[in-house]
Amino acid sequence: IFLSQSTGAQWGAGQRRLGVAGCLLVGIFEEYLFRGALLDGLRARIGAARGALASSLIFTVYHVRPQAIAAWPHIFLTGAVFANLRLRGMGLASLALIHAAVDSAFFFVGKESVREYGTSYWVFLAGLFAYAAATHAPDPMKHPLVDAKSDSG
C-alpha cells in the first residue's frame, strides 16, 4: 500500500502512525531472522566474518523484489553493519529498534527514489562501509556471541 503511494507527496498523520507501526514489526521480524537465527547459524558453520557477509547478501536478496536496484548497495551495507553490531554484542531488540527507526524515516523525510539522492547517498554508503570495516573484530574468538565452551580451551 505504502509503496504504491510513493509519488513525492507528504504522508498524513494517520499514514505515518501506521507506517511506523509497520516498520517496527518489520524491524523485529527481519532482525530476529537475519541477525538472529540466520547469522547465528552461519557463524557456527562458516565463521563470524563470512557469516556476516553471507547473511548480508541473503538480506539483500530478500529485498530484491520490493526495492530498486539502486538501493541494493545500501541494503547490503546496512546488513553488514547490523551483523557487525550483533557480533560485537548488540542485542536483537536494539537492532530491531534501530532498523525500525531507519525504515520509519521514509515517512518523515520524503518519498523520493534512491536515484534522486545524488552524492549524499554514495557518501552515506561509503560511511557505512568504512564503519563496518573499521569496527570489525579480526579475531572471531573475541566476539561476545562465541560459545563459552570454546573459551575453556
Side-chain angles (χ1 to χ4, degrees):
I1 293 173
F2 291 119
L3 293 178
S4 66
Q5 297 180 9
S6 296
T7 60
Q10 291 295 316
W11 296 104
Q15 291 172 314
R16 286 182 175 166
R17 283 191 297 273
L18 185 58
V20 169
C23 288
L24 183 58
L25 292 173
V26 167
I28 291 168
F29 171 76
E30 290 184 358
E31 291 310 313
Y32 278 83
L33 174 63
F34 291 103
R35 262 63 73 183
L38 183 63
L39 179 57
D40 287 348
L42 289 169
R43 181 191 51 78
R45 286 174 181 74
I46 61 176
R50 288 182 182 151
L53 291 174
S55 70
S56 299
L57 181 61
I58 295 168
F59 181 67
T60 304
V61 170
Y62 173 79
H63 287 87
V64 165
R65 176 118 165 83
Q67 300 292 338
I69 293 171
W72 295 353
H74 163 86
I75 294 166
F76 178 80
L77 290 173
T78 299
V81 169
F82 284 9
N84 187 23
L85 291 171
R86 176 70 178 141
L87 290 171
R88 295 175 72 67
M90 183 174 280
L92 290 170
S94 296
L95 285 170
L97 289 174
I98 294 168
H99 188 143
V102 169
D103 287 357
S104 293
F106 175 76
F107 296 99
F108 296 93
V109 175
K111 304 181 200 178
E112 65 275 356
S113 71
V114 174
R115 289 184 298 255
E116 297 172 11
Y117 289 164
T119 305
S120 61
Y121 175 71
W122 297 106
V123 170
F124 174 72
L125 288 182
L128 278 177
F129 179 77
Y131 176 80
T135 61
H136 177 69
D139 182 359
M141 296 310 293
K142 292 183 181 177
H143 287 292
L145 296 179
V146 174
D147 294 332
K149 291 183 258 180
S150 63
D151 290 338
S152 62

